[in-house]
Amino acid sequence: MLNIRPAIPADIPVILRFIRELATYEREPDAVVATEADLLRDGFGLAPDGATPLAHAPTPRFWSLIAEFNGTPAGFALYFTSYSTWRGHHGIRLEDLYVTPALRGKGIGKALLVRLAQIAVEQGCPRLEWDVLEWNAPAIAVYERIGAHILTEWRIMRLSDDALTTLANSR
């Protein structure tokens, strides 16, 4: 039996485990520096103990869904809002979608996408967007089957680490 539900603070260890597994799948196993404390702070406004509210906690910076298959965590989707100036409305930006390898092919990933689409429609969002690595043909095939299309004319630009600091310190 499949169940999709909103994540709660107690899910943070499994979410972080899924993030690390996803990084390994995406060929960057050492890239994850996030901690449980980071996820508790940014997703729930909580201190590292998972219960104490932070004094100046912002609204959640992300939300997450947990997929459970026969009562066992099977995958997750982590998302946040974006904003389209052209559409004049926020959208949903999917950061990570992951299903544990042993449970792939059971419709779990699609069920997570369906729930995200429902959330987007409930909120009046005109868009649900995400990135996919160009070599990930199985994922691309799934996404195209549900009606998604690749925006080939847009390129992602990223400024991070030293380059980000250098620009921030420039005049």
Side-chain angles (χ1 to χ4, degrees):
M1 178 174 181
L2 180 60
N3 181 43
I4 307 292
R5 63 171 176 79
I8 60 173
D11 293 316
I12 291 298
V14 75
I15 290 171
L16 187 56
R17 177 173 56 92
F18 284 153
I19 290 169
R20 289 180 177 137
E21 289 176 14
L22 177 59
T24 298
Y25 175 77
E26 291 183 348
R27 305 172 185 166
E28 293 201 49
D30 299 323
V32 178
V33 297
T35 66
E36 289 182 16
D38 295 329
L39 299 175
L40 284 165
R41 177 194 64 230
D42 293 337
F44 298 96
L46 297 174
D49 66 8
T52 305
L54 295 171
H56 300 289
T59 57
R61 297 189 187 276
F62 70 84
W63 294 268
S64 189
L65 298 172
I66 297 292
E68 295 171 325
F69 190 77
N70 294 329
T72 301
F76 85 116
L78 189 141
Y79 63 99
F80 54 92
T81 59
S82 59
Y83 193 81
S84 171
T85 56
W86 290 10
R87 302 297 293 266
H89 205 284
H90 77 281
I92 290 180
R93 180 80 178 160
L94 174 61
E95 176 67 16
D96 287 335
L97 175 72
Y98 178 76
V99 175
T100 194
L103 296 173
R104 291 183 186 153
K106 298 184 180 305
I108 297 168
K110 183 178 179 184
L112 285 163
L113 284 169
V114 166
R115 183 62 193 122
L116 278 174
Q118 291 168 345
I119 292 167
V121 169
E122 289 164 8
Q123 294 181 11
C125 299
R127 294 178 178 165
L128 168 59
E129 298 177 313
W130 63 93
D131 300 324
V132 62
L133 291 165
E134 67 181 353
W135 57 260
N136 195 347
I140 292 169
V142 168
Y143 300 151
E144 288 176 337
R145 276 198 303 275
I146 64 168
H149 62 277
I150 295 172
L151 302 177
T152 57
E153 64 275 10
W154 290 90
R155 296 290 184 258
I156 297 169
M157 300 299 298
R158 180 173 292 156
L159 194 59
S160 61
D161 304 321
D162 291 342
L164 177 61
T165 303
T166 298
L167 181 61
N169 293 325
S170 67
R171 299 196 196 285

